[in-house]
Amino acid sequence: MNFSTIMSLVWPSTLQTLAMVLSSTVFSILLGLPLGILLCVTDPVTGIMPKPILYQVLTRIVNALRSFPFMILMILLFPLSRLIIGTSIGTAATIVPLSIAAAPFVARIIETALKEVDPGVVQAARAMGSTNSQIILKVLLPEALPSLVSGVTLTIINLIGYSAMSGAI
């Protein structure tokens, strides 16, 4: 085989992988960011708005979804892909299970990153009269940004592996 034949096979697959990974990264962040913030702020020990029951429910859902092997989760989500995309096979249909599989991972990374912020900074913001939403948007997220970027990088790496598995189906 010559180089052009190989590239004619590799290039479309590379573009499909990039499309799956980038799209599912965006959707998993859109799903995982609010969930991670909610997990952080409702933590009964360190949260700025402790809600023990809500925290326990959310953390169990996240743990349950994270424990599913991706192949099984993908097969279980075929009907949802068919409902949203119109088909359960192909590049576009794979984005749904990839996003749902990565969202709990993103949520846990965001929760961890936000909990690493120095409590003194949050107390200082509270002492200056900041509301909870101001603390989240102007203190927690900016302070945790380096950890959040590292977490998104890890998510992309995981999604590349998941997309290789989805190619098997």
Side-chain angles (χ1 to χ4, degrees):
M1 273 211 257
N2 60 16
F3 182 73
S4 63
T5 306
I6 293 171
M7 285 310 292
S8 69
L9 296 172
V10 171
W11 187 246
S13 299
T14 302
L15 292 177
Q16 289 173 345
T17 300
L18 284 173
M20 285 187 297
V21 170
L22 292 177
S23 299
S24 57
T25 299
V26 169
F27 290 125
S28 64
I29 290 171
L30 288 174
L31 293 169
L33 180 64
L35 186 57
I37 291 171
L38 201 56
L39 282 166
C40 176
V41 300
T42 60
D43 187 317
V45 177
T46 60
I48 59 174
M49 299 182 309
K51 306 243 185 282
I53 295 172
L54 178 60
Y55 178 80
Q56 286 300 319
V57 168
L58 291 176
T59 199
R60 288 187 180 159
I61 290 170
V62 167
N63 288 341
L65 286 173
R66 284 186 65 208
S67 66
F68 264 89
F70 177 69
M71 292 295 253
I72 294 171
L73 185 63
M74 187 170 172
I75 292 167
L76 289 174
L77 292 174
F78 276 164
L80 183 62
S81 292
R82 192 174 297 117
L83 179 71
I84 294 173
I85 305 295
T87 183
S88 59
I89 57 171
T91 304
T94 305
I95 293 170
V96 173
L98 283 172
S99 301
I100 292 174
F105 181 75
V106 170
R108 201 54 88 187
I109 285 176
I110 289 171
E111 177 193 15
T112 303
L114 295 177
K115 284 182 176 180
E116 288 176 356
V117 173
D118 183 15
V121 177
V122 175
Q123 289 174 354
R126 177 83 65 208
M128 290 188 290
S130 297
T131 63
N132 288 333
S133 60
Q134 288 173 329
I135 290 172
I136 293 166
L137 295 173
K138 296 183 179 184
V139 176
L140 289 175
L141 289 173
E143 287 288 322
L145 195 58
S147 295
L148 294 174
V149 170
S150 296
V152 170
T153 304
L154 284 173
T155 302
I156 292 170
I157 292 167
N158 278 337
L159 284 170
I160 290 171
Y162 286 166
S163 70
M165 284 186 265
S166 68
I169 295 182

